[in-house]
Amino acid sequence: MINIAKEFDLQQFKSKMLLQVHDELVFDVFKPELETIKSLVKDKMENAVKLIVPLDVEMNDAENWLLAH
């Protein structure tokens, strides 16, 4: 999450990381940035630590958190 926040600041995205709910991260994403944000978040989360078993990140996008499930 720290690396994601740093990258958001570095690239000056309009999108924001809002909160963590258990094992989920919730973002408010500016639509033109959606694909870039999805790629960045997946990469940063899957490569946060090196383990024997790879980390697998799943994500959904929707108009609100309820619809994303």
Side-chain angles (χ1 to χ4, degrees):
M1 288 174 55
I2 292 169
N3 292 336
I4 292 170
K6 286 179 183 176
E7 196 66 31
F8 272 41
D9 289 341
L10 182 67
Q11 295 195 36
Q12 298 181 338
F13 290 125
K14 291 183 179 181
S15 303
K16 302 292 178 203
M17 181 168 32
L18 298 179
L19 64 132
Q20 174 188 359
V21 180
H22 302 289
D23 63 344
E24 297 182 30
L25 298 178
V26 179
F27 296 85
D28 183 17
V29 178
F30 183 55
K31 286 190 182 198
E33 297 174 347
L34 180 61
E35 293 307 315
T36 303
I37 296 297
K38 286 172 68 174
S39 176
L40 181 138
V41 170
K42 184 170 178 67
D43 177 63
K44 294 294 184 191
M45 294 304 291
E46 287 183 342
N47 296 298
V49 294
K50 297 295 178 196
L51 301 172
I52 294 171
V53 178
L55 294 172
D56 184 35
V57 173
E58 296 177 12
M59 59 178 64
N60 295 309
D61 59 87
E63 290 297 316
N64 61 54
W65 188 40
L66 178 62
L67 294 176
H69 289 87

